Each structure stands twice: as C-alpha cells, then as structure tokens.
Amino acid sequence: MTHVLVTGGAGFIGTHVTAALLASGHQVSILDSGHPAAHSAPVPGDVHGVPVIHADLRDREAVTDVLRGVDAVVHQAAMVGMGVDLDDLPEYVGCNDLGTAVLLAGMARAGVRRLVLASSMVVYGEGAYACPGHGAVRPPARDIADLAAGRFEPRCPVCGDEVLSTEVGEDALLDPRSVYAVTKVAQEQLCSVWARQTGASVAALRYHNVYGPGMPKDTPYSGVAAIFRSALEGGRAPRVFEDGGQRRDFVHVSDVARANVAALEAEVGGLRAYNIASGRPATVGELATELASVSGGPEPVVTGEFRLGDVRHVVASPARATAELGFTAAIDLTSGVTEFASATLRG
Ligand code: UD1
C-alpha cells in the first residue's frame, strides 16, 4: 500500500483518480483549493470518504503539512481550458506553474520521489502531419485569413499545400499554442529538472480529451463534450466550430483514472511522458452527432467559428503507455457517449 497525495482530488479527474487508487488498496490524502474555475460550488468535506484538505498549492505551509507521511504524489490540480481572456494569464501561471514549483520544493524537502503529473496533449500544439510532397512536417500556427475563409487544414511550411494528420508520439517537439498549453509544458520541464536533481521518477500523462461523469458543465474552462452535453440538456443544438472535421481522441475519465494507478505503480526513472488516449480518434462533428442522437436532442449546427488558440487535429499513439505501463483504454466512444448523455455533470 502506498500513501498517495492527490492534488485537485475534489475535481473532475481527481475524484475518479481517488476512487481508482482506493480500489487498488492505496491510502489517499487530498489537497484541493476549490478554485472557482473548476468549482462553482464549495468543495465537499470528503471525496469517497477521504477528507479534503482545502488549501492552495501555492501555500508552502499547507503543502509541507499535507506531505507528511506521503510516499507519492498524483498531481491533478490545475486550471484547464482556454479561459476567458488574457486577464486569466497570471492565474493560469500562478496555479499551474508556481503551484507545481511549491509542490516540487515541498516534495524535495520531504524526500518524496514519486510523482504522476497530469499533463496534456496540448503540449504538442498541432499534432503530427505529413505533406504529400515533403514528408513529415510541422505546420506553423494557422493563418487568420485562412481560418476566416473557412480553410481550416494546416499547411506545409515548405510548399503551402494542405497536410495530412498522422499519429503524434511522445518524442514530438513541444510547441504550445495557448496560455494553458505553455503552463503544461512548463510543468513538465520543472518536473524533469526536479527529477534529475532528486533522482525521482515522474510519469507525465498527456491526457487527450477527457470526458465522463462529473465533468464540469458549460464554462469558459470546460471541454467540448461538456459544452455539447450542457447545450443538449437545455434543448439547444451543439455548436460545432470550424467545419466539424477537426480530430481529437476522446478518452473516458475512468480509463484516465486507471492510467494514473498504472503510472503510480510503474517505476519510470526520471521524467517519462505517455499519451493517454483511446487510440480511436473521432471528429468533433462526430462527437456532436453521436451525443445529439443518443440524447434525442437537436441536430448539431456547424458554425464555421474558430478560436485562435485551437489546433486542428491531435491524433495520438498510445503505444508507449501500453508497452511500458500496461495501459489500454477500455471504453469506446459509442459506449462512453451513451453513458455520458445521461451522466451527472458537476454544477
Ligand atoms: C481539451 C481541454 C484541455 C485538455 C485537453 C487534453 C478544455 C477547454 N480543453 O483541449 O484542457 O488539456 O483537451 O485533455 O477543457 N469546440 C466546438 N464547440 C464548442 C467548443 C469547442 O466545436 O462549443 C471545438 C474546438 O474548436 C476544438 C474542439 O472542439 O476544435 C476541442 O475543444 P476543447 O474541448 O475546448 O479543447 P482542446 O483544445 O481539445
């Protein structure tokens, strides 16, 4: 039995991770700030019977206290999503990077040498692409004029032709395109330096698009699955941006929770990154159509709108997590979405 601190343990993914750790026989402590970007209601007093220590990671004393007797940390606490505007910038950096720095310093003092970090596929920026004429290429950020004209596919940096999306592996260059993505890259890099200096082991789990019960409802910080679900619940059509052809890998939160347990139990040595994905990507349009049809709600509307921080396709290879952690996602999109259509969301 390992005594594990779950940061953000009262949040969407943290709640499921806590349940999975308990089910695997681990002892769990939870620290959660109840940040308003993730919680519209006060955090509960306990999660699955584990008392929630209500504190911010930037609070050095609270972090020191909660690390007493802990063997490993599963670090889920973060501000996620696109945010409202650039006024959010200091809070993203404060929560995600300063918070992680305080945690790592506390772990170094306490001699805690095992960490599972909730990272994200957003560290890749655009996924991997191949140009028919130039092979593997890294397209630059999409041109605003192209987006406005409804040309959504990224282009080859050499010839300007549209490129084809391919599976992105963990060794791809990191190329963050949003404030949140920058903070996730910084988290990984801080953890990597910390691991080298302390001899610790960090599994950085690059989650793809996580969905499932307990997902926060429609807010500027919510993922697209919750936004579509909230629209359908209100009798409104899901609004699909761009042309709906953008591809993602939607992975169920219970699979993500299992991946955390597997990563905790593996000794990776230094920092090692893993795509946590289903391996069966879908378009955002397909997600909307499937969810609308299961819910019996209005058909999705494809709006052509675009967000500058969005990337076009991120399609992952989860092969490394399978080979090294023994993790394979169990829930496919059809069964996951069927359950999600009537699941309880976070208020
Ligand atoms: C999402 C998460 C990010 C997480 C990452 C990997 C959010 C907001 N983003 O990134 O935190 O790290 O997965 O787990 O939680 N879209 C629509 N209609 C809408 C809203 C969005 O069509 O109403 C489209 C977007 O244009 C985009 C796609 O859906 O093409 C996915 O958007 P979103 O879920 O916001 O974020 P990701 O960038 O995929």
Side-chain angles (χ1 to χ4, degrees):
M1 183 183 74
T2 307
H3 182 178
V4 186
L5 169 65
V6 181
T7 71
F12 163 44
I13 299 174
T15 300
H16 288 270
V17 170
T18 297
L21 287 169
L22 292 171
S24 300
H26 297 296
Q27 182 188 344
V28 178
S29 295
I30 291 176
L31 181 133
D32 198 302
S33 72
H35 197 286
H39 301 264
S40 57
V43 288
D46 75 279
V47 169
H48 300 303
V50 177
V52 176
I53 297 160
H54 192 188
D56 195 298
L57 271 179
R58 289 167 285 186
D59 178 340
R60 186 178 188 272
E61 276 68 46
V63 168
T64 302
D65 284 350
V66 77
L67 282 170
R68 276 199 194 97
V70 159
D71 304 306
V73 175
V74 173
H75 180 26
Q76 308 289 323
M79 251 177 101
V80 302
M82 281 297 203
V84 180
D85 56 31
L86 287 177
D87 261 359
D88 277 340
L89 210 158
E91 192 61 2
Y92 270 103
V93 174
C95 288
N96 297 0
D97 296 336
L98 181 56
T100 298
V102 174
L103 175 67
L104 293 175
M107 288 174 72
R109 282 196 306 278
V112 182
R113 300 276 181 266
R114 272 164 72 199
L115 176 64
V116 179
L117 172 69
S119 186
S120 167
M121 60 69 170
V122 294
V123 298
Y124 298 121
E126 285 292 349
Y129 290 86
C131 170
H134 298 98
V137 288
R138 296 194 58 78
R142 295 178 291 170
D143 195 67
I144 299 178
D146 274 348
L147 293 168
R151 291 188 295 266
F152 298 116
E153 294 300 333
R155 292 177 177 282
C156 172
V158 183
C159 64
D161 283 354
E162 285 186 6
V163 289
L164 305 168
S165 111
T166 58
E167 280 193 332
V168 63
E170 288 84 353
D171 294 330
L173 270 178
L174 305 189
D175 185 16
R177 303 274 171 99
S178 68
V179 169
Y180 166 63
V182 169
T183 68
K184 282 283 147 184
V185 172
Q187 278 190 333
E188 282 199 11
Q189 293 178 337
L190 285 170
C191 290
S192 174
V193 169
W194 170 83
R196 190 168 160 73
Q197 295 194 7
T198 57
S201 170
V202 185
L205 303 185
R206 293 181 181 157
Y207 300 162
H208 285 252
N209 292 64
V210 187
Y211 72 99
M215 197 170 179
K217 282 188 183 155
D218 190 353
T219 77
Y221 310 96
S222 299
V224 68
I227 293 175
F228 288 168
R229 233 310 290 277
S230 305
L232 288 162
E233 215 162 71
R236 299 182 308 279
R239 293 174 63 77
V240 178
F241 298 161
E242 305 187 13
D243 59 1
Q246 60 273 43
R247 291 163 82 216
R248 293 289 189 278
D249 189 311
F250 296 97
V251 57
H252 194 271
V253 67
S254 62
D255 282 326
V256 170
R258 284 196 306 109
N260 274 275
V261 177
L264 177 78
E265 291 170 356
E267 188 56 50
V268 300
L271 182 136
R272 187 91 173 137
Y274 297 94
N275 284 327
I276 302 301
S278 74
R280 285 161 297 199
T283 67
V284 170
E286 284 163 358
L287 172 75
T289 304
E290 191 132 2
L291 200 51
S293 116
V294 178
S295 319
E299 299 256 301
V301 178
V302 179
T303 68
E305 284 162 85
F306 58 88
R307 305 184 302 192
L308 282 183
D310 272 338
V311 294
R312 178 66 174 168
H313 306 292
V314 192
V315 173
S317 166
R320 184 186 283 179
T322 303
E324 296 182 16
L325 305 178
F327 166 75
T328 310
I331 301 184
D332 66 22
L333 191 62
T334 303
S335 49
V337 161
T338 304
E339 175 221 48
F340 185 59
S342 58
T344 308
L345 299 188
R346 182 175 293 272

